[in-house]
Amino acid sequence: MVGPARPDDAIDADLLRATLIEREPAAARASTSIRMVRAPGRVNLIGEHTDYNEGFVLPAAIDLEIRIALVPTEDRRVELTLLEGGERGGFDLDSIPPKSGGWIDYVAATAWSLADEGLRLRGFRGILGSNLPISSGLSSSAALELASAWALLDPPNPSAHGIDKMTLARLAQRGEVEYVGVRSGLMDQAASSLGRVRTAMLLDCRSLEHRAIGLPLARHRLVVCDSGSPRRLDRSEYNTRRAECDEAVALIAARDPSVKSLRDVDVDKLIGARFALSERIFRRAEHVVRENERVLEAVDALEAGDLEAVGRLFAQSHASLRDLFEVSSPELDALVEIATSVPGVVAARMTGAGFGGCTVNLVARDAVDRLIEAIDREYPARTGRRARVLAVEPADGAGLVA
Ligand code: GLA
């Protein structure tokens, strides 16, 4: 697919608003109370499958996002329509139904979690527009949760409820874990909630301390390659991997009760416990332990401007996800191999949960077209699929659109 590095159009805010007024009598009657909320997807630079092990992650919110134009209502009913395709979903805030298997689950999950926290919610009629590819590993679910949270809160701002954006992220995550049943970590919601333009976020998933890390974007771009082999987290082996990490912790803690999570395990401790772990469980734990080290090394390298080191760490992370944690796919491996052979591609690895989805690449600005051409030339022949290449910019986290 040779072409612009950014084929996706921006979401047309006027169209979203006009469609809301056209479809929803409540919006036509009260057009001055219409508001718009947005929440971004994210790409993770490094630190994969570490968040639910209380480790480190380095995600960036990106300028692909979900927007909802909405009008609040008095009927305690949430009704949301997709701009593209017109599919409609809804539920009553006072009797939130069990999950149905569709996208509305993520809205209902967020409503359930916020209400369970005692936060005041209000029904609405809304139209949802998105330029964020779904089921691609760019956290469309977290974006839908955070956009829903901002749409549901009454008054429409977490600070008016005495909660900060990290708490909002945790509540959204709780909805996904307990209502949807995917035992995901906090990374995606934290990135979608707290992202900052031009930066990535180093997040310690144990203390929840976080800080913005500048990226070398004057001469480079972040490029996402979508493998075209979609993934559904709830059908994947994600929960199995999580259980394997828990098993490693239980076995290591039996000898050393100070160990509460893989965050408490370093390479020496892991090697010391080798005989207690099966070969498979050892590999899973080794990935997590070394990946945590790589995140901190990558932050040092970025701060020192050492892009060669960043490239090496991305390569090690990908190899570890492929060989030790076993969550890559032939498509993701092909994308990384092709990208790595292109002069000017500084770093490439799979991003997100894996099992399909996307790769993330740090690419010299003048090499983006070369990367697109190489993928267009080689990827279909190797995989029988077509990939989408998207240059993305780190963006601010969720909120009201002025
Ligand atoms: C998914 C989950 C995150 C994280 C990543 C893997 O995106 O939602 O919490 O575990 O996978 O790093």
Side-chain angles (χ1 to χ4, degrees), residues 31-354:
S31 62
T32 51
S33 7
I34 293 177
R35 62 176 198 264
M36 190 153 338
V37 295
R38 57 168 283 280
R42 66 95 188 94
V43 65
N44 187 22
L45 298 193
I46 193 162
E48 222 63 86
H49 292 274
T50 46
D51 61 352
Y52 54 81
N53 291 299
E54 301 194 337
F56 299 103
V57 291
L58 188 65
I62 57 176
D63 58 343
L64 297 172
E65 63 182 22
I66 286 176
R67 282 192 182 208
I68 301 175
L70 66 114
V71 62
T73 56
E74 296 305 332
D75 57 1
R76 305 284 297 156
R77 177 117 196 119
V78 171
E79 290 279 350
L80 192 54
T81 304
L82 303 184
L83 179 65
E84 203 171 308
E87 195 186 320
R88 200 173 167 94
F91 55 89
D92 275 321
L93 283 173
D94 295 325
S95 56
I96 296 174
K99 68 171 175 172
S100 63
W103 54 268
I104 196 70
D105 285 352
Y106 294 91
V107 186
T110 307
W112 167 80
S113 178
L114 298 180
D116 198 59
E117 188 69 11
L119 302 177
R120 221 175 94 161
L121 308 182
R122 194 155 163 194
F124 64 82
R125 300 292 177 275
I127 304 280
L128 182 151
S130 171
N131 58 8
L132 182 57
I134 55 165
S135 300
S136 293
L138 298 177
S139 291
S140 50
S141 327
L144 179 51
E145 291 156 17
L146 267 299
S148 302
W150 279 84
L152 286 160
L153 284 175
D154 175 36
N157 204 318
S159 58
H161 299 257
I163 62 170
D164 60 16
K165 291 181 175 181
M166 183 61 86
T167 306
L168 196 65
R170 293 177 70 186
L171 292 170
Q173 180 214 8
R174 182 172 171 230
E176 182 159 332
V177 172
E178 294 188 27
Y179 179 97
V180 185
V182 182
R183 295 181 64 207
S184 61
L186 182 60
M187 170 170 72
D188 304 347
Q189 291 82 5
S192 184
S193 186
L194 288 142
R196 280 223 340 241
V197 74
R198 282 186 292 280
T199 62
M201 173 175 66
L202 171 63
L203 171 64
D204 176 340
C205 297
R206 170 168 272 177
S207 68
L208 303 188
E209 275 169 36
H210 52 93
R211 78 185 161 91
I213 306 295
L215 296 174
L217 298 176
R219 299 227 199 99
H220 298 82
R221 298 207 72 177
L222 275 182
V223 177
V224 166
C225 299
D226 185 343
S227 66
S229 53
R231 40 157 289 273
R232 277 288 301 274
L233 209 51
D234 46 357
R235 283 206 222 115
S236 75
E237 290 193 54
Y238 185 86
N239 286 351
T240 311
R241 288 298 180 281
R242 223 183 137 145
E244 289 169 339
C245 292
D246 292 345
E247 189 179 335
V249 172
L251 292 168
I252 300 169
R255 309 172 64 234
D256 179 350
S258 74
V259 170
K260 305 284 180 234
S261 79
L262 286 177
R263 172 66 177 276
D264 300 315
V265 180
D266 60 14
V267 173
D268 287 345
K269 200 170 263 186
L270 182 63
I271 290 172
R274 184 169 212 146
F275 73 93
L277 309 182
S278 72
E279 199 263 334
R280 176 174 45 93
I281 298 298
F282 182 83
R283 276 190 283 126
R284 303 294 191 248
E286 184 182 0
H287 163 73
V288 174
V289 168
R290 293 193 193 271
E291 184 80 349
N292 275 328
E293 292 179 352
R294 282 189 286 267
V295 176
L296 299 180
E297 285 173 38
V299 167
D300 287 347
L302 283 167
E303 291 185 328
D306 183 354
L307 298 188
E308 234 181 88
V310 175
R312 204 169 48 241
L313 291 160
F314 269 43
Q316 288 167 357
S317 171
H318 185 81
S320 177
L321 289 157
R322 182 189 62 210
D323 302 334
L324 302 181
F325 215 68
E326 296 181 281
V327 293
S328 188
S329 67
E331 288 88 354
L332 292 169
D333 294 345
L335 284 174
V336 168
E337 283 162 30
I338 295 165
T340 309
S341 72
V342 174
V345 173
V346 171
R349 56 178 288 279
M350 58 153 274
T351 186

